[in-house]
Amino acid sequence: MSEPDNESILLAYLTEVRGNGMAARVTEAYTNSKPLISIGDETMLAAHVGSYVVIRQEEIAVMALVFKIWEQDRYSDRNVRLVDRYISLIPVGEIGTDGTFIRGMRHYPTPGAGVYAVGMKEINAIFSRFRAYEFYIGQLSTHKEYQISLDPRAFFGRHFAILGQSGSGKSWTVASLIQSTIKAMPNSHMIMLDLHGEYAWKTPGGLVKSAFPSHQVNYVEATEMEMPYWIMSYAELVDLFVDRDDKNASMQMSYMREVIQVLKRKEGQRIGLPTVSVDTPIYFSLAEMYMHFKSANEERRDFGKVQGALFGVFDEFLIRMQSRFNDVRYDFLLKPKIRNTSESMAGLLRKFVGLGEHKANINIVDLSSVPTDIRPAISAQVGRLVYEFNYWNPQRRDFPITLICEEAHAYIPREKGGQFDGTKRMMERIAKEGRKYGVSIGVVSQRPTELSETMLAQCSSFICLRTSNPDDQAYIKRLMPEAEGDMADVLSSLGRGEALVLGEAAPLPTRVQIYRPNPEPKSNDVDYYESWRGGAHDLDMDEIIHLWRTQTRKSK
């Protein structure tokens, strides 16, 4: 192996070697208050926290990350107080004899081995294979001029997660990542569940604005799109209409299955389908289903003297269904005006996957105007449509789709047996089976401890932004290899838009400053200072009441 220019810059000697870490004593030349070194055009602090070093001993060359620095007093023979400086190292891989980087440890050096400074040559050895993809997401935090590329095959093909507390730059990161994706892969297909209208929104004048150029984005407002109930699976309809805590819930579910089967069989005969299941996505009348339940619930025989077998069993179900049907917030779901025939499904899917009149890379489904209590069901329906679409798509290998789930903990929760357990199972099914059919998931969450364990377990890559909560830090630490677990301690010190990238898409855990997105998403943070200095002095109370009553949100 050719000798690098910086091999002469000896920083420290190993003093301790463990299976999950190493320690070294810094040489006297770099124990002063300004331990600067120069490598090529770079000037940096020697062995500072977050920097890379290489440990060399005979044919062994181990790449490591500086994790901690501390000093320890000692006294000379003449009782003069001296200070030794030490560094803790996390080994991340080896540099082979041909100069290539190999992740993981196969050969361990012994105490006494030299710890040398790392320059661009070694860094290139780590990232060179990944740079060939040209999927650049940001700069290396320790070397701002070095652009970091991920492996898009691993990143999108095996699911990913973006984790970080509120204000850490999640929206920034998501927008930047999508912009970088479209730049590197112009034929990409992504669908985003936008819960807060951050990535695309309508101005009061009706103009659509977004964090992406207009030719790349297709904005879909869920309430205008019409997500008709008849496309929902049986499990999702149960979540919508049945209270699982009701003592008659099991009877309601059984009878609903039977009624839907009858109604869909009739529609199947109309359109020429020989066989129909309860989940076949064809039209059926919700009013007819209601009347079936009502008739069974009020059935009497022998001139009203004898009650039917199901008399009174569906009281709660009918009340719940009627309340849903009369609530204007549910009109887009329960009273479709355009998507009210089986034949209308093709147009819905075309628009949904970005193949409508306006073809686009990123399809943003704005759920900000959807009632909070049914967002999980709608989100699961979107996910199921993506999965089913590519499951039955013969060209799925040429048309892979990524579903990006904003605030995923809200509808893919960790808790079991909740109100939307069926929708959670659907999303977990996509995580477990979707990649076989060209459907991957990217989950975005500020509370990983509240997110489904199954979902996170299926993710192979993680972009972790600033996280201060000890429970969330500990959870992220468990996602990392044991030898690299201590790196989770830097999560609380990351800057806005700065992330720790972990998993298969990166050659090693890497601290990256994510590119600033251009254009930027709409921040939901309210500027109290500016608003309280020169904000509104009066409000249109009638407009607020009208919007509240009609459940209509307006953006500014």
Side-chain angles (χ1 to χ4, degrees):
M1 180 175 172
S2 60
E3 298 295 310
D5 297 336
N6 53 297
E7 186 171 351
S8 59
I9 305 179
L10 178 65
L11 301 176
Y13 291 99
L14 280 189
T15 57
E16 182 183 6
V17 178
R18 306 181 306 277
N20 61 349
M22 304 176 187
R25 179 171 56 82
V26 179
T27 60
E28 287 189 24
Y30 302 112
T31 56
N32 53 53
S33 60
K34 253 186 161 180
L36 296 174
I37 56 174
S38 295
I39 304 175
D41 298 330
E42 298 178 87
T43 299
M44 66 185 81
L45 287 169
H48 63 282
V49 171
S51 64
Y52 294 107
V53 294
V54 61
I55 303 156
R56 297 186 184 279
Q57 190 176 49
E58 294 298 327
E59 294 299 314
I60 297 174
V62 175
M63 187 73 75
L65 187 75
V66 179
F67 163 64
K68 178 183 174 183
I69 303 175
W70 76 96
E71 291 186 343
Q72 189 172 309
D73 291 345
R74 65 180 173 87
Y75 291 88
S76 68
D77 295 340
R78 299 182 180 181
N79 214 29
V80 176
R81 181 171 171 267
L82 303 172
V83 176
D84 286 336
R85 182 173 295 175
Y86 293 87
I87 53 176
S88 278
L89 304 173
I90 299 172
V92 292
E94 298 181 34
I95 299 176
T97 53
D98 58 354
T100 57
F101 177 77
I102 307 164
R103 188 165 183 172
M105 291 288 293
R106 293 160 184 78
H107 309 95
Y108 283 84
T110 62
V115 180
Y116 296 87
V118 162
M120 295 309 299
K121 185 167 185 175
E122 278 84 0
I123 289 175
N124 253 324
I126 299 174
F127 294 101
S128 58
R129 182 168 62 88
F130 289 76
R131 285 172 67 85
Y133 294 111
E134 298 184 348
F135 177 40
Y136 296 106
I137 65 161
Q139 301 110 342
L140 198 63
S141 291
T142 53
H143 297 76
K144 295 291 186 186
E145 73 288 347
Y146 196 83
Q147 315 304 309
I148 294 297
S149 172
L150 301 182
D151 178 354
R153 287 194 178 98
F155 190 76
F156 292 105
R158 300 189 183 98
H159 312 307
F160 64 90
I162 299 175
L163 311 172
Q165 69 187 39
S166 181
S168 61
K170 285 195 305 300
S171 302
W172 167 331
T173 301
V174 172
S176 176
L177 190 70
I178 293 173
Q179 290 171 6
S180 298
T181 301
I182 296 172
K183 185 177 180 180
M185 294 161 282
N187 202 30
S188 52
H189 308 283
M190 292 168 280
I191 297 173
M192 175 185 283
L193 297 172
D194 185 3
L195 266 66
H196 305 298
E198 292 180 272
Y199 303 94
W201 60 95
K202 277 187 178 179
T203 64
L207 184 67
V208 175
K209 292 190 174 182
S210 81
F212 314 100
S214 58
H215 68 280
Q216 296 174 346
V217 65
N218 184 30
Y219 172 76
V220 180
E221 191 169 358
T223 52
E224 293 180 1
M225 179 182 182
E226 289 193 358
M227 303 284 286
Y229 62 89
W230 52 268
I231 293 182
M232 298 175 77
S233 68
Y234 165 72
E236 290 166 340
L237 288 168
V238 167
D239 285 341
L240 190 61
F241 292 124
V242 177
D243 181 358
R244 294 176 186 272
D245 294 329
D246 188 337
K247 63 180 181 180
N248 293 316
S250 60
M251 182 66 73
Q252 294 167 9
M253 288 188 282
S254 298
Y255 193 68
M256 182 194 267
R257 176 185 285 273
E258 183 181 329
V259 170
I260 292 175
Q261 187 80 49
V262 169
L263 295 175
K264 287 192 173 183
R265 195 176 293 126
K266 183 172 68 173
E267 175 69 6
Q269 290 174 351
R270 185 188 74 81
I271 63 175
L273 275 182
T275 56
V276 169
S277 77
V278 72
D279 285 330
T280 303
I282 56 176
Y283 176 79
F284 71 93
S285 169
L286 208 57
E288 283 189 53
M289 185 178 90
Y290 179 85
M291 291 310 299
H292 273 276
F293 272 90
K294 190 172 186 296
S295 297
N297 197 59
E298 297 174 353
E299 183 186 3
R300 287 178 180 272
R301 296 190 298 273
D302 294 339
F303 304 101
K305 296 177 183 178
V306 180
Q307 295 177 350
L310 298 175
F311 186 87
V313 171
F314 302 136
D315 286 344
E316 293 296 328
F317 176 88
L318 291 168
I319 292 171
R320 186 176 172 89
M321 189 173 178
Q322 192 68 50
S323 68
R324 288 275 194 261
F325 203 70
N326 291 336
D327 191 334
V328 295
R329 300 176 302 170
Y330 294 82
D331 283 359
F332 75 98
L333 182 70
L334 303 181
K335 298 178 182 177
K337 296 176 182 177
I338 303 171
R339 318 290 180 190
N340 53 12
T341 64
S342 297
E343 290 80 6
S344 64
M345 187 173 175
L348 170 67
L349 290 177
R350 275 199 165 276
K351 186 173 182 181
F352 188 72
V353 299
L355 295 178
E357 294 178 9
H358 173 58
K359 291 182 170 60
N361 298 96
I362 173 76
N363 295 276
I364 298 176
V365 181
D366 184 0
L367 296 169
S368 60
S369 57
V370 173
T372 306
D373 55 339
I374 64 162
R375 280 183 189 172
I378 300 304
S379 302
Q381 186 183 7
V382 170
R384 188 177 60 80
L385 283 178
V386 177
Y387 176 81
E388 296 283 1
F389 174 81
N390 249 18
Y391 181 89
W392 300 106
N393 176 14
Q395 294 178 278
R396 67 181 73 91
R397 299 186 69 85
D398 298 323
F399 199 89
I401 303 172
T402 291
L403 177 66
I404 300 173
C405 303
E406 262 281 346
E407 302 292 349
H409 57 273
Y411 46 93
I412 318 175
R414 189 180 215 187
E415 64 177 348
K416 297 180 180 178
Q419 181 183 4
F420 295 104
D421 201 41
T423 59
K424 175 188 169 186
R425 286 198 303 271
M426 184 64 238
M427 299 301 269
E428 289 179 345
R429 180 188 173 193
I430 297 170
K432 288 185 282 189
E433 303 174 14
R435 65 189 184 90
K436 301 174 187 174
Y437 308 108
V439 179
S440 66
I441 285 188
V443 291
V444 184
S445 176
Q446 57 182 289
R447 289 308 312 272
T449 50
E450 295 178 7
L451 189 59
S452 161
E453 286 182 287
T454 300
M455 181 62 69
L456 280 179
Q458 295 298 321
C459 293
S460 71
S461 301
F462 301 85
I463 295 180
C464 303
L465 294 110
R466 185 172 68 250
T467 305
S468 301
N469 185 285
D471 293 335
D472 290 333
Q473 281 188 3
Y475 193 83
I476 293 172
K477 187 172 184 175
R478 292 200 296 272
L479 299 173
M480 304 168 67
E482 183 181 356
E484 300 164 359
D486 288 337
M487 292 184 70
D489 293 345
V490 309
L491 291 173
S492 59
S493 62
L494 295 174
R496 181 174 171 80
E498 191 178 17
L500 191 62
V501 181
L502 314 166
E504 293 182 26
L508 73 166
T510 309
R511 188 167 174 172
V512 179
Q513 179 63 53
I514 304 295
Y515 293 136
R516 191 182 191 96
N518 183 26
E520 294 188 19
K522 182 176 67 172
S523 172
N524 283 318
D525 295 339
V526 175
D527 190 333
Y528 277 76
Y529 177 74
E530 289 296 332
S531 297
W532 285 355
R533 275 173 62 90
H537 296 289
D538 198 8
L539 297 171
D540 186 341
M541 204 58 63
D542 290 335
E543 182 189 32
I544 294 171
I545 293 170
H546 175 72
L547 295 174
W548 188 349
R549 286 172 175 168
T550 59
Q551 294 290 296
T552 306
R553 292 181 75 252
K554 288 177 69 175
S555 301
K556 180 180 178 182

